[in-house]
């Protein structure tokens, strides 16, 4: 494949980089472009390399720190709202007595599915800015509305719209953060998954406070006045998300990412944005408009008509522009599909499983059930911390961090079925929560890293959408299967064995180069 050098003569990482020279690899791994598209669109390849050089020259700033926290809110919101539905579903069913109790789960995942595709494709067409801000606001408003639902149909409708906002928000968080990061700091996208565990923990703590104290226990006598716990949970969580949404607008003035602007052909805005960032934080930036424009116009990022089916196909075709990129995209999508079935089978129905196991061990208290749930979710925070450390180790990187996380999860899933008392039950649920988030947190970061900027949100959104389809399938499986038995645990363990194998054969390792 063609390799395009910029005026700054920064070393590049080719697809077949010589691994024998360790010192040479270490020198280039933070400055080379990971994906080679020079033979497909030389202008885009050259411009992306020049912009990467400018981002690396500016380095990590306070602006990036703000993005880490504000984008992390999206992770927290997605996990909080997903678990909110699973936590409240039982009490909602007692109050409204629907004919299909799993309707909330399916509504949520349909919303997440549509949101991932809508906001993902839309962000590649219209830009990241509006999708980034609006998606979180939608999730906040309709989660509050869900708490005031007068009936089951209204509740599931609001849950679906909440999922629509949260699903798109999650796609954009990693995309926006990554497209501003210098190469040496790309590992922070993996670390950002700690917010996922924080969101889970907040959901568990709020449930622990509200559900045992403000809930009815029988469908025969469950009026609204006696079952306000789940409503308080939605009101509180929605208000928290609304504060996060306001913070995104007030704490930082988010501008369109430079890499999206390159794909759109706005060279002047690319230079102005990076020059303004450098000036604000006292950093050097030698980028000029002439450097970009001398390489000509970008030909492959958009069609002539933005609002057309052809424009959508341009973005999907771009994900398979080369054989290596096509294999990578397919394996990433496969991984999201597999984890989309394994994760909900264990996590979304974890309250049922923990409750049934607690009953076996003589623990029937709702207080103890939700205490155990909070401890398991809190343990999830430490998975991405370990993943962030592992992905920086030479010869481990993102790929083998995922392998390690998947294998650990598989082992402890199988071990979970041998639990014989309550202490073992909570210990193993915490360990599984920790291990699964080593894998999942890294996959969240790896996916946008190995997708080209012009089509990144489309590829990432499709990956998440495939994940949500399997989430819907998991709800259907749970309808006809007993989730209080170890069978779902065995299925999850087998799926993680497959995920470990897939991770090992990913063709790209982001540790060895910078995303374009």
């Amino acid at each position: 494949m063609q390799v395009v050098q910029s005026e700054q003569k920064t070393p590049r990482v080719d697809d077949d980089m010589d691994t024998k020279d360790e010192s040479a690899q270490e020198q280039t791994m933070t400055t080379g472009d990971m994906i080679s598209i020079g033979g497909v669109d030389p202008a885009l390849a050259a411009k992306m390399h020049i912009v990467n050089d400018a981002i690396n020259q500016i380095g990590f700033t306070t602006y990036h720190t703000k993005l880490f926290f504000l984008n992390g809110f999206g992770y927290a919101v997605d996990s909080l709202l997903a678990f909110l539905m699973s936590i409240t579903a039982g009490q909602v069913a007692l109050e409204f007595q629907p004919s299909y109790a799993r309707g909330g789960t399916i509504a949520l995942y349909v919303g997440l599915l549509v949101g991932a595709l809508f906001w993902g494709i839309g962000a590649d067409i219209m830009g990241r800015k509006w999708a980034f801000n609006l998606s979180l606001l939608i999730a906040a408003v309709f989660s509050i509305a869900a708490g005031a639902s007068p009936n089951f149909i209204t509740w599931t409708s609001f849950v679906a719209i909440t999922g629509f906002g949260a699903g798109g928000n999650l796609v954009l968080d990693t995309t926006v953060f990554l497209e501003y990061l210098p190469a040496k700091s790309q590992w922070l996208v993996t670390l950002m998954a700690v917010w996922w565990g924080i969101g889970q923990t907040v959901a568990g703590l709020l449930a622990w406070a509200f559900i045992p104290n403000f809930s009815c226990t029988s469908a025969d006598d469950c009026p609204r006045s006696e079952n306000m716990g789940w409503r308080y949970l939605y009101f509180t969580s929605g208000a928290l998300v609304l504060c996060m949404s306001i913070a995104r607008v007030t704490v930082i003035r988010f501008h369109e990412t430079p890499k999206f602007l390159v794909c759109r052909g706005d060279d002047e805005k690319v230079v102005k944005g990076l020059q303004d960032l450098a000036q604000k934080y006292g950093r050097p930036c030698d980028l000029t408009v002439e450097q970009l424009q001398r390489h000509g116009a970008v030909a492959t990022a958009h069609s002539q008509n933005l609002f057309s089916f052809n424009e959508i196909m341009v973005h999907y075709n771009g994900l398979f522009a080369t054989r290596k990129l096509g294999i990578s995209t397919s394996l990433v999508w496969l991984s999201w599909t597999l984890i989309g079935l394994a994760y909900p089978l264990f996590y979304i129905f974890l309250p049922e499983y923990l409750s049934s196991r607690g009953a076996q061990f003589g623990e029937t208290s709702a207080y103890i059930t939700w205490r155990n749930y909070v401890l398991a979710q809190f343990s999830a925070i430490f998975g991405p911390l370990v993943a962030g450390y592992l992905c920086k180790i030479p010869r481990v990187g993102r790929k083998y961090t995922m392998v390690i996380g998947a294998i650990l999860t598989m082992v402890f899933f199988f071990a979970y079925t041998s639990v014989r008392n309550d202490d073992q039950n909570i210990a193993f649920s915490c360990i599984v929560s920790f291990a699964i988030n080593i894998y999942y947190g890294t996959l969240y970061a790896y996916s946008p890293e190995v997708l080209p900027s012009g089509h990144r949100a489309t590829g990432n959104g499709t990956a998440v959408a495939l994940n949500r389809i399997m989430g819907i399938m998991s709800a259907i499986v749970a309808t006809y299967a007993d989730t209080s038995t170890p069978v779902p645990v065995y299925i999850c363990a087998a799926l993680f064995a497959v995920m470990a194998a897939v991770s090992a054969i990913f063709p790209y390792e982001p540790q060895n180069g910078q995303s374009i």
Side-chain angles (χ1 to χ4, degrees), residues 241-256:
V241 176
L242 183 60
C243 291
M244 293 178 180
S245 176
I246 294 172
R248 275 193 170 180
V249 179
T250 57
V251 173
I252 189 171
R253 287 191 61 192
F254 173 68
H255 300 283
E256 194 54 77

Side-chain angles (χ1 to χ4, degrees), residues 256-289:
E256 194 54 77
T257 67
K259 293 185 178 181
F260 173 78
L261 293 173
V262 168
C263 295
R264 197 168 65 182
D266 290 337
D267 294 341
E268 293 85 357
K269 289 185 179 180
V270 173
V271 174
K272 184 179 186 306
L274 291 176
Q275 289 286 4
D276 287 348
L277 183 65
Q279 182 178 6
K280 181 175 181 179
Y281 295 101
R283 303 296 178 84
C285 182
D286 300 328
L287 181 65
T288 65
V289 175

Side-chain angles (χ1 to χ4, degrees), residues 60 64 67-68 71-72 75 170-196 384-385 387-388 391-392 398 437 440-450 456 460 510 515:
F60 193 86
H64 296 91
L67 281 179
F68 178 82
N71 289 36
Y75 268 86
L170 186 63
V171 172
L172 270 296
D173 291 324
T174 51
T175 297
V176 168
F177 190 46
L178 176 65
E179 291 182 0
Y180 270 105
L181 279 177
K184 291 182 179 180
S185 302
Q186 278 190 191
W187 67 276
L188 287 172
V189 183
T190 300
L191 183 64
M192 197 167 69
V194 298
W195 289 96
W196 183 265
L385 291 175
C391 74
K392 296 179 66 179
R398 275 65 150 179
N437 278 280
Y440 214 169
T442 309
L443 180 64
Y444 262 111
Y446 179 87
S447 300
E449 284 187 294
V450 297
R456 176 171 289 132
N460 205 19
S515 298

